[in-house]
Amino acid sequence: MNENVDQISAFPTKSFFVDMLVRDIPLEQAVLDLVDNCIDGAKRLRGEDSNDLSGLRVEIQFSKEKFSIKDNCGGFDRQTAQMYAFRFGRPKGFNSTKHSIGQFGVGMKRALFKFGHEFLVQSRTPEESWAVRVDVPEWEAEENDWVFPWSEYEGGHEISDSPGTYIEVTKLRKGTATSFGTKVFENKIISSIKSKHRQFISFGMEIFVNGNRVDAADLRFFSTATLKPVVENFVFDEDGLEPVRIRIVVGISDSIPKSAGWYVVCNGRVILDADRREETGWGVIEDNADRPSLPSFHNQYSRFRGIVYFDSDDSSRVPWNTMKTDIDEDSLVWQRAYERMIVLARHVLDFINKLDSEIEDYGRDKSPLMRLIRNAPKSSVDVLKTDQAFKAPDKSSVEQAPPTIKIQYSRPIEEIEFLKSALGVDSARAVGERTFEIVLERNRG
């Protein structure tokens, strides 16, 4: 306690980090933070620009009794542990991994405190090994002692005897133990890693959750000579700061409402997936009629896909929040990208509106545009890197079916059921179509 009456103490309490800070992050996100650290290790090992992470592996195990995660991503040395890894926040002068996804210096500690009351962290590089084992209540009781003591490296957890890191948490918090013991949570973690770390899995990294291998989520666009997604690359520069490379890809894919929307990717880590909120432009009405805007999302736009990539050697420059669960709307980088997202999305939505109108006129099975899309091949977003304009077929470029008009009328159910039986059909629509054909044939002779 500061007993100097002329000063006010701003010294933090340990309980703030152990019991309060952990409330801000969902359990699922805390697990993902530890996976992020493994991926940064892989980047240090293979080079930040490498697209080959084959042979690298992350294994996550959790149950009501224990959580563990281990990798063979090269480990980190004693000096890094001593100077940075266990500090709360990133100290000035920290030489972080270029293009990393661990930025704020809080993820690992927050996860450990979130999970339980005792943890072991140990790592081995080609040159050395070290370990830290902490009984959290004992550490918390020494209010003015902010160090974690070294402990003996135990070994025995390496993957294929390769350098790497092993983390184990025991004496789990009651709520954490309950979640870790359910199949629902296991499926949730698998689904999140599949989506959030898709790029690293597609580069060859293997991630296992309770023995289940996680595959990468697939993001693909219809792409032909006459139907192409727009791809736009540009760089956001500010004096004295690392540039941010931005790539926006917008186009159409299969009609799946839950997959439609914007995806935001920062340094390879997916921050938002299938986002359909005002934060990404949906339903924002512009006061200036000359500026494009997007309507509120509804299922008519279930074919829309938009992906925005932000990449920078300095991970503090990409527009994510500290939990990597949302974008930083106040970021100038985000605001610059947002303007282009709206403009590029508008072209794609205009085409979807035309497609919807044609389906209304011709029906889903006979629409020429729909037929073209149905037969179109798809390309992975990972290969769509070169600038190109959005290209979509217009009615003059596709074979047109004879125009049609919809006929609607109502009749008593009893009479419809009678005709269904008499005509051998099984729907009211089929009754209408068949009776129309009969009358047409009779009058045409």
Side-chain angles (χ1 to χ4, degrees):
M1 175 181 291
N2 180 14
E3 297 181 349
N4 188 337
V5 295
D6 296 324
Q7 296 178 324
I8 299 174
S9 174
F11 202 72
T13 64
K14 289 185 178 180
S15 63
F16 172 75
F17 295 98
V18 174
D19 297 317
M20 299 302 292
L21 196 61
V22 299
R23 298 186 185 189
D24 294 335
I25 188 168
L27 190 59
E28 163 198 347
Q29 188 57 44
V31 176
L32 298 187
D33 273 347
L34 296 180
V35 179
D36 289 348
N37 290 343
C38 300
I39 290 168
D40 278 347
K43 289 184 175 185
R44 286 193 298 273
L45 189 65
R46 295 288 173 85
E48 61 268 15
D49 296 325
S50 175
N51 292 343
D52 180 13
L53 301 181
S54 57
L56 300 181
R57 183 179 176 110
V58 178
E59 296 180 11
I60 304 166
Q61 292 280 346
F62 51 79
S63 66
K64 288 182 178 179
E65 289 75 34
K66 185 172 82 173
F67 171 91
S68 69
I69 181 170
K70 62 182 178 180
D71 66 48
N72 60 349
C73 298
F76 58 99
D77 59 27
R78 183 178 285 255
Q79 183 182 24
T80 301
Q82 192 171 28
M83 301 300 294
Y84 306 116
F86 287 92
R87 295 282 299 275
F88 292 95
R90 284 278 185 260
K92 288 185 177 179
F94 173 65
N95 187 21
S96 64
T97 304
K98 287 185 176 180
H99 202 248
S100 70
I101 56 175
Q103 160 60 25
F104 302 100
V106 70
M108 182 181 76
K109 284 80 70 181
R110 185 166 54 185
L112 299 178
F113 292 145
K114 177 87 177 178
F115 294 167
H117 301 298
E118 183 172 289
F119 62 81
L120 165 70
V121 181
Q122 60 179 24
S123 192
R124 181 166 72 83
T125 70
E127 292 78 26
E128 62 178 353
S129 60
W130 57 268
V132 169
R133 182 181 287 280
V134 176
D135 182 306
V136 177
E138 287 183 4
W139 177 79
E140 191 177 0
E142 297 294 332
E143 186 59 48
N144 295 317
D145 184 1
W146 284 81
V147 299
F148 294 118
W150 298 111
S151 59
E152 185 175 351
Y153 181 79
E154 299 176 12
H157 299 289
E158 295 86 353
I159 297 175
S160 303
D161 201 32
S162 299
T165 300
Y166 174 76
I167 295 174
E168 175 185 291
V169 186
T170 52
K171 299 181 182 176
L172 301 180
R173 292 173 183 260
K174 288 183 179 178
T176 299
T178 301
S179 295
F180 280 172
T182 67
K183 192 70 177 175
V184 171
F185 185 77
E186 178 185 294
N187 291 336
K188 196 173 182 181
I189 289 296
I190 290 173
S191 177
S192 294
I193 293 174
K194 181 185 177 81
S195 168
K196 304 295 186 185
H197 297 98
R198 63 168 299 280
Q199 182 169 308
F200 310 109
I201 298 172
S202 69
F203 288 167
M205 174 167 271
E206 295 180 296
I207 302 179
F208 292 82
V209 176
N210 285 350
N212 302 293
R213 178 172 175 156
V214 182
D215 297 319
D218 201 14
L219 289 173
R220 302 174 75 82
F221 290 86
F222 287 117
S223 183
T224 70
T226 57
L227 176 62
K228 294 182 177 180
V230 56
V231 182
E232 185 169 296
N233 292 276
F234 55 97
V235 176
F236 184 84
D237 271 318
E238 285 183 280
D239 290 342
L241 299 175
E242 283 287 342
V244 181
R245 300 173 295 281
I246 301 170
R247 175 163 60 106
I248 304 176
V249 184
V250 192
I252 65 171
S253 188
D254 293 315
S255 177
I256 305 174
K258 70 176 183 180
S259 299
W262 284 106
Y263 294 72
V264 177
V265 186
C266 293
N267 278 1
R269 168 73 140 79
V270 175
I271 305 304
L272 299 179
D273 45 4
D275 192 272
R276 302 184 286 267
R277 304 171 300 156
E278 288 188 0
E279 284 78 355
T280 51
W282 293 99
V284 176
I285 300 173
E286 289 284 353
D287 294 331
N288 186 345
D290 294 331
R291 297 181 62 178
S293 59
L294 303 185
S296 297
F297 182 87
H298 51 84
N299 285 349
Q300 178 183 341
Y301 301 121
S302 60
R303 294 182 178 278
F304 176 91
R305 304 287 189 280
I307 305 174
V308 195
Y309 293 90
F310 298 92
D311 288 284
S312 178
D313 286 349
D314 181 354
S315 57
S316 70
R317 298 277 291 139
V318 296
W320 51 15
N321 66 3
T322 61
M323 289 193 291
K324 295 172 235 172
T325 54
D326 211 336
I327 45 90
D328 175 7
E329 291 183 83
D330 297 325
S331 160
L332 291 177
V333 177
W334 170 255
Q335 291 170 8
R336 176 72 180 90
Y338 179 90
E339 293 175 2
R340 295 304 301 159
M341 288 164 59
I342 303 304
V343 171
L344 301 179
R346 192 62 262 177
H347 298 302
V348 176
L349 293 185
D350 289 345
F351 172 71
I352 292 176
N353 286 336
K354 285 182 183 176
L355 174 65
D356 193 56
S357 173
E358 192 183 85
I359 291 173
E360 280 287 316
D361 292 341
Y362 292 97
R364 185 169 295 276
D365 294 336
K366 296 180 180 178
S367 160
L369 286 177
M370 192 65 234
R371 201 160 51 221
L372 184 147
I373 290 171
R374 193 178 294 122
N375 296 324
K378 291 196 283 286
S379 296
S380 169
V381 68
D382 295 327
V383 303
L384 297 169
K385 296 183 177 178
T386 305
D387 282 2
Q388 64 183 30
F390 179 65
K391 191 171 185 180
D394 56 35
K395 290 185 178 180
S396 63
S397 66
V398 296
E399 182 182 353
Q400 292 295 302
T404 62
I405 189 169
K406 186 175 292 184
I407 301 172
Q408 288 182 308
Y409 56 86
S410 300
R411 287 293 183 273
I413 292 176
E414 183 181 337
E415 294 177 5
I416 296 294
E417 292 298 324
F418 173 79
L419 284 177
K420 280 169 64 177
S421 176
L423 296 171
V425 298
D426 58 5
S427 69
R429 175 177 176 171
V431 168
E433 290 175 345
R434 183 65 187 130
T435 53
F436 180 87
E437 290 167 357
I438 291 171
V439 174
L440 183 63
E441 289 171 5
R442 182 183 301 162
N443 284 276
R444 278 181 170 172

